[in-house]
């Protein structure tokens, strides 16, 4: 995973609450056995005016000009601004992959669903929780039509506005370190393999039935 | 100070607690399906890693399988018409073969929705930590287990380390007291709770369901309730172990036997919150006042009692909720203030990890018996949760009741709950569904979903619209 330290980018708004992972990447794209290739289908049902044709997966699509991600003024945006409970619903990590592969590196919202937030950190997508009033202000700024560029600084846990003002956010310390250094979770855990083995022995002593062979 | 059930489960699995708040917990059971696992197995291969404990895992295909009895009649995956789906299903088999992971494959009668199969086989046991790359893993908390959904990176992490890097959640108790009314089921209790606290109401929490209305539920009802905990934002829902739990688990194929059973039973009986346990939050609802529920919008929190109406904008406090309401009603093709009993349905889906167990099939069949699918209802899909549910239902003649009423009796799988396979709701069509999510496009692009109980779905199928099950004319 690439480290995340400071990211400067253009904000694109998605003014809805409870954006669910079905909306982020619909199920017809979950048939893939790969980890890549989801970017073109991010927000598929909002982004295109025509329905996806499974029989012609590479066919040309009609872009929905009213959807924010399609508007020319947001071309190249890498910070998604949305409302509360972003990423609710299904645990599909494909939602995070789709956002990253489209080019989004940070999502700002008043709150995130637990599983999505967890998944985001694993792929280097930074979820930033800001107070609702502040999110309202950012939406108001975007609605004026002027481009909003933000600097998201994970090291100092602050978002810097174009005015120079900085607002603080907070990220779980462990996740922050992993993201700052681009660390692989499995590698970190395997450093504790002795502790895992010791726990396993103790656990087997107390609940031996958990270690029965599964015969299928 | 006493401990909550969640505290006890957490403490019993804590491998390592770090100063920064993160923790390593041990995972007893890892359930695997075809959609969220291929990239995890690929990750293991790329890093040259092996699963740490093979027999902690059980795999089964469910999300992307066909429920068409004709497709399923053909051997192996050869009957799967869609090539991309076939590859995904074959990949699960290949990965399980390559890594020696126990697999219940499509041809096996025990195959079914992972959250139906697990408890049926005794792969789900009280006191376990259970994870699966599926958010409805909360279902297994019904057994006094700590069970929740994980993402694909975590699937790989659990395979490689048998642990999960996580943080302790807060304790939230939902107390449902009183006797429920006739025609009210666990699904209605779940929807009423979600309507009360919202889809983010329990974010960051482990929810324990308790109270007389919960202990009165069968294990299947408890599974339905815990299944929907995620729709209130809680990764994990759980219920204390009692005699109902032990009776269900005893003699399941993977349950302990003999001396091991005695040892396990003694331990499992400690799996309840202490009398003096302290919860961070508590919600009390009078279960006797809860009526059958119907969702009218595009989030499970957009729900009302059957005798209610679609809300109007003026009843809402702020602009964001007004906008959400307007968008939801436009998508759903409904008017403000409309009576829910005036909503007609085009399709009915009885199935999913929420409501596809034998009791669900029985309730639905008892309503359908001697009646016919309403003329305005185009299709009714009845999808049993597993091959064993299907066989039991057929032994009781339930399949014949559905078929005589003009309904389709299908092969087991997730089906139109998420509509990954060919079972889809067409654009603009309206469905009464026993599943768990009414998000835009969930059951098919442009499809309109109303979440209900099996009794409500069966009633809608014969009445053509939403009706209180106990007022259905004979």
């Amino acid at each position: 995973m690439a480290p995340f330290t400071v990211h400067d980018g253009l904000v694109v708004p998605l003014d809805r609450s409870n954006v669910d992972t079905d909306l982020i990447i619909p199920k017809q794209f979950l048939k893939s056995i790969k980890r890549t290739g989801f970017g073109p289908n991010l927000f598929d049902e909002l982004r295109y005016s025509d329905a996806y044709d499974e029989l012609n997966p590479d066919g040309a699509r009609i872009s929905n000009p009213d959807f924010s991600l399609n508007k020319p003024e947001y071309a190249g945006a890498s910070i998604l601004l949305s409302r509360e409970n972003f990423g609710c619903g299904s645990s599909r990590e494909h939602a995070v992959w789709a956002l990253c592969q489209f080019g989004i590196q940070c999502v700002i919202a008043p709150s995130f669903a637990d599983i999505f937030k967890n998944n985001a950190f694993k792929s280097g997508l930074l979820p930033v929780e800001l107070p609702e009033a502040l999110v309202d202000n950012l939406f108001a700024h975007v609605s004026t039509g002027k481009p909003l560029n933000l600097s998201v600084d994970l090291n100092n846990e602050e978002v810097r506005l174009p005015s120079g003002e900085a607002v603080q956010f907070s990220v779980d310390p462990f996740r922050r370190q992993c993201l700052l250094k681009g660390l692989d979770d499995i590698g970190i855990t395997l450093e504790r393999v002795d502790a895992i083995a010791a726990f396993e022995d103790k656990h087997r002593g107390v609940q031996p039935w958990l270690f029965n062979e599964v015969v299928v | 100070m006493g401990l909550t059930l969640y505290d006890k489960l957490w403490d019993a699995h804590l491998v390592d607690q770090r100063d920064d708040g993160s923790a390593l917990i041990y995972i007893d059971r890892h359930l695997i399906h075809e959609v969220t696992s291929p990239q995890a197995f690929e990750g293991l291969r790329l890093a040259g890693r092996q699963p740490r404990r093979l027999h902690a895992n059980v795999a089964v295909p469910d999300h992307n399988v066909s429920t068409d009895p004709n497709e399923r009649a053909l051997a192996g995956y050869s009957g799967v018409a869609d090539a991309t789906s076939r590859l995904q299903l074959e990949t699960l088999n290949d990965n399980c073969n390559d890594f020696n992971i126990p697999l219940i494959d499509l041809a096996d009668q025990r195959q079914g929705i992972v959250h139906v199969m697990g408890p049926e086989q005794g792969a789900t046991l009280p006191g376990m930590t259970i994870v699966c790359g599926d958010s409805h893993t909360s279902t297994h908390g019904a057994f006094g287990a700590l069970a929740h959904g994980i993402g694909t990176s975590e699937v790989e992490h659990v395979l490689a380390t048998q642990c999960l890097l996580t943080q302790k959640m807060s304790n939230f108790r939902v107390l449902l007291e009183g006797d429920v009314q006739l025609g009210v089921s666990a699904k209605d209790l779940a929807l009423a709770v979600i309507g009360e606290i919202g889809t983010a109401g329990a974010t960051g929490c482990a929810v324990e369901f308790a109270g007389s209305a919960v202990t009165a539920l069968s294990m299947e009802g408890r599974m339905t309730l815990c299944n929907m905990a995620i729709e209130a934002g809680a990764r994990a829902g759980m219920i204390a172990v009692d005699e109902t739990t032990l009776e269900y688990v005893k003699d399941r194929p993977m349950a302990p036997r003999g001396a091991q059973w005695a040892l396990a039973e003694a331990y499992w009986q400690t799996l309840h919150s202490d009398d003096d346990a302290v919860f961070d939050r508590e919600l009390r609802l009078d279960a006797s006042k809860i009526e059958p529920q119907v969702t009218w919008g595009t989030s499970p929190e957009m729900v009302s009692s059957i005798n209610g109406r679609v809300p109007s904008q003026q009843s809402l406090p702020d602009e964001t909720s007004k906008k959400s309401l307007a968008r939801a009603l436009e998508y759903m093709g409904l008017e403000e203030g409309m009576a829910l009993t005036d909503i007609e349905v085009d399709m009915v889906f009885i199935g999913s990890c929420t409501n596809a167990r034998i009791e669900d099939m029985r309730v639905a069949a008892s309503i359908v018996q001697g009646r016919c699918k309403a003329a305005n209802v185009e299709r009714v899909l009845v999808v049993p949760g597993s091959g064993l549910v299907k066989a039991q239902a057929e032994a009781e003649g339930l399949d014949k009741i559905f078929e005589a009423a003009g309904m389709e009796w299908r092969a087991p799988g997730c089906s139109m709950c998420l509509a990954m396979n060919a079972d889809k709701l067409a654009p603009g069509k309206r469905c009464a569904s026993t599943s768990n999510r009414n998000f835009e496009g969930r059951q098919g692009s442009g499809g309109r979903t109303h979440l209900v109980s099996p009794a409500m779905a069966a009633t809608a199928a014969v009445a053509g619209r939403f009706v209180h099950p106990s007022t259905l004319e004979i």
Side-chain angles (χ1 to χ4, degrees):
Chain A
M1 186 173 71
F4 188 115
T5 48
V6 180
H7 174 73
D8 298 314
L10 176 68
V11 173
V12 56
L14 180 61
D15 193 359
R16 311 166 63 115
S17 48
N18 297 315
V19 170
D20 59 74
T21 53
D22 275 84
L23 197 67
I24 299 173
I25 185 82
K27 66 275 181 170
Q28 56 269 39
F29 307 107
L30 307 190
K31 293 179 183 178
S32 168
I33 57 170
K34 298 191 199 129
R35 202 182 260 265
T36 52
F38 298 100
N41 302 106
L42 174 73
F43 295 117
D44 195 272
E45 296 190 359
L46 300 176
R47 211 161 132 203
Y48 301 105
S49 309
D50 56 342
Y52 171 75
D53 180 3
E54 292 194 42
L55 299 176
N56 184 20
D58 301 320
R61 303 283 299 276
I62 304 166
S63 175
N64 171 10
D66 298 329
F67 184 54
S68 57
L69 269 71
N70 290 335
K71 293 185 178 173
E73 60 265 39
Y74 300 121
S78 56
I79 300 174
L80 183 68
L81 177 67
S82 193
R83 298 285 184 183
E84 76 272 9
N85 200 26
F86 187 90
C88 63
S90 153
S91 63
R92 59 188 72 164
E93 197 163 317
H94 311 66
V96 171
W97 302 336
L99 285 162
C100 291
Q101 288 158 19
F102 176 82
I104 301 294
Q105 298 196 34
C106 171
V107 182
I108 297 177
S111 60
F112 292 88
D114 284 341
I115 303 180
F116 177 86
K117 186 154 79 173
N118 227 30
N119 288 342
F121 284 112
K122 315 272 176 186
S123 291
L125 174 73
L126 179 64
V128 171
E129 281 173 343
L130 292 181
E132 197 147 0
L134 209 56
V135 170
D136 282 344
N137 287 346
L138 295 177
F139 270 108
H141 188 297
V142 170
S143 69
T144 62
K146 277 184 282 182
L148 175 63
N149 285 285
L150 296 176
S151 178
V152 180
D153 181 344
L154 178 60
N155 200 28
N156 294 305
E157 292 180 286
E158 63 180 31
V159 175
R160 290 187 288 270
L161 308 175
S163 63
E165 188 195 346
V167 293
Q168 299 295 308
F169 63 91
S170 125
V171 169
D172 167 57
F174 174 74
R175 288 285 149 227
R176 180 169 158 272
Q177 279 306 321
C178 290
L179 213 48
L180 282 172
K181 295 179 183 157
L183 296 176
D184 157 40
D185 274 8
I186 297 178
I188 296 171
T189 299
L190 288 176
E191 287 172 11
R192 305 287 293 135
V193 71
D194 293 345
I196 298 171
F199 177 89
E200 221 160 35
D201 285 344
K202 187 189 75 173
H203 202 45
R204 192 193 303 264
V206 182
Q207 300 185 59
W209 58 87
L210 296 175
F211 293 81
N212 291 348
E213 194 177 333
V214 167
V215 183
V216 291
Chain B
M1 194 175 75
L3 298 174
T4 66
L5 170 59
Y6 172 56
D7 293 336
K8 291 180 184 180
L9 293 168
W10 176 269
D11 291 349
H13 292 88
L14 188 62
V15 174
D16 190 21
Q17 175 75 60
R18 296 166 53 121
D19 294 340
D20 59 17
S22 71
L24 206 56
I25 64 165
Y26 192 77
I27 300 303
D28 296 320
R29 178 71 71 220
H30 181 208
L31 301 168
I32 297 170
H33 64 85
E34 75 278 23
V35 177
T36 55
S37 66
Q39 299 87 351
F41 282 112
E42 191 57 24
L44 288 185
R45 274 194 197 92
L46 289 172
R49 290 172 176 140
Q50 287 292 322
R52 178 173 175 85
R53 192 159 70 80
L54 293 174
H55 290 268
N57 303 286
V58 183
V60 67
D62 61 357
H63 280 62
N64 200 6
V65 303
S66 166
T67 65
D68 179 340
N70 297 322
E71 272 190 51
R72 291 285 284 271
L74 297 165
Y77 294 127
S78 60
V80 180
D82 175 41
T84 323
S85 298
R86 193 164 59 240
L87 176 64
Q88 189 173 55
L89 291 161
E90 285 167 349
T91 302
L92 179 69
N93 279 41
D94 293 347
N95 283 329
C96 290
N97 288 335
D98 289 355
F99 288 98
N100 291 313
I101 300 281
L103 167 75
I104 292 176
D105 76 15
L106 192 63
D108 196 305
Q109 195 185 33
R110 299 166 298 173
Q111 179 271 340
I113 305 172
V114 64
H115 309 308
V116 176
M117 176 282 292
E120 265 179 2
Q121 293 306 313
T124 300
L125 293 174
M128 276 182 164
T129 43
I130 304 171
V131 293
C132 171
D134 186 275
S135 61
H136 291 107
T137 309
S138 59
T139 308
H140 309 265
F143 290 82
L146 172 56
H148 60 74
I150 54 176
T152 297
S153 294
E154 290 177 316
V155 169
E156 184 182 341
H157 189 278
V158 170
L159 282 167
T161 70
Q162 209 50 51
C163 289
L164 197 63
L165 263 169
T166 186
Q167 271 191 313
K168 199 170 178 198
M169 299 179 267
S170 350
N171 280 290
F172 186 169
R173 178 159 61 177
V174 173
L175 280 165
L176 297 165
E177 300 283 3
D179 297 332
V180 299
Q181 300 168 22
L182 195 67
V184 171
S185 71
K187 181 65 162 288
D188 302 300
L189 299 181
L191 287 170
V193 169
I194 296 161
E196 188 71 25
I197 65 173
T199 50
T203 299
C205 302
V207 168
E208 180 178 348
F209 295 100
S212 61
V214 175
T215 47
L217 292 172
S218 67
M219 279 320 292
E220 299 199 353
R222 294 179 189 188
M223 285 187 245
T224 301
L225 189 56
C226 290
N227 172 280
M228 295 289 284
I230 183 65
E231 308 315 329
R235 287 181 85 171
M238 60 187 70
I239 295 171
V241 172
D242 64 7
E243 284 306 315
T244 306
T245 323
L246 300 175
E247 203 176 299
Y248 181 100
V249 172
K250 198 163 173 46
D251 297 327
R252 296 274 158 187
M254 296 182 197
R257 287 167 204 284
Q260 246 191 11
W261 171 265
L263 196 63
E265 193 180 24
Y267 172 65
W268 292 342
Q269 278 168 340
T270 68
L271 297 176
H272 53 79
S273 291
D274 295 330
D275 291 340
D276 57 344
V278 177
F279 288 84
D280 302 295
R281 287 176 65 191
E282 195 161 272
L283 170 77
R284 280 168 188 269
L285 285 184
D286 183 348
S288 69
K289 296 215 166 70
I290 294 173
E291 291 185 275
Q293 305 283 306
V294 186
T295 65
W296 45 262
T298 52
S299 160
E301 71 186 20
M302 295 173 160
V303 64
S304 295
S305 296
I306 175 67
N307 297 317
R309 289 177 180 277
V310 174
S312 56
Q313 294 225 21
Q314 63 205 46
S315 65
L316 296 173
D318 57 84
E319 275 311 305
T320 308
S321 359
K322 282 180 188 177
K323 253 201 261 181
S324 294
L325 175 69
R327 182 184 290 123
L329 295 189
E330 191 194 343
Y331 182 86
M332 293 297 290
L334 297 173
E335 302 293 330
E336 291 182 33
M338 195 176 169
L340 296 184
T341 47
D342 287 341
I343 300 174
E344 295 195 348
V345 301
D346 306 304
M347 199 165 170
V348 175
F349 171 64
I350 299 175
S352 87
C353 59
T354 314
N355 282 126
R357 299 181 179 83
I358 190 66
E359 290 172 15
D360 301 315
M361 299 293 129
R362 286 178 187 144
V363 164
S366 72
I367 289 166
V368 168
Q369 185 154 35
R371 296 189 168 96
C372 255
K373 173 172 81 65
N376 61 302
V377 176
E378 295 162 18
R379 246 185 123 183
V380 179
L381 292 186
V382 188
V383 187
S386 71
L388 291 175
V389 171
K390 181 170 184 279
Q392 179 63 34
E394 287 169 0
E396 296 176 22
L398 307 186
D399 57 323
K400 296 286 175 276
I401 295 174
F402 292 121
E403 284 173 348
M407 305 175 181
E408 296 173 46
W409 180 245
R410 312 281 292 190
C414 296
S415 181
M416 215 175 79
C417 171
L418 85 163
M420 257 191 94
N421 66 359
D423 308 340
K424 284 184 176 55
L425 187 59
K429 295 290 181 185
R430 191 178 297 289
C431 180
S433 176
T434 66
S435 56
N436 40 55
R437 288 187 176 133
N438 51 348
F439 299 155
E440 287 182 23
R442 170 80 178 181
Q443 294 195 290
S445 184
R448 295 161 171 169
T449 302
H450 296 269
L451 302 177
V452 288
S453 69
M456 285 284 288
T459 309
V462 296
R465 60 190 177 89
F466 293 112
V467 179
H468 193 305
S470 63
T471 61
L472 191 64
E473 285 173 23
I474 297 161

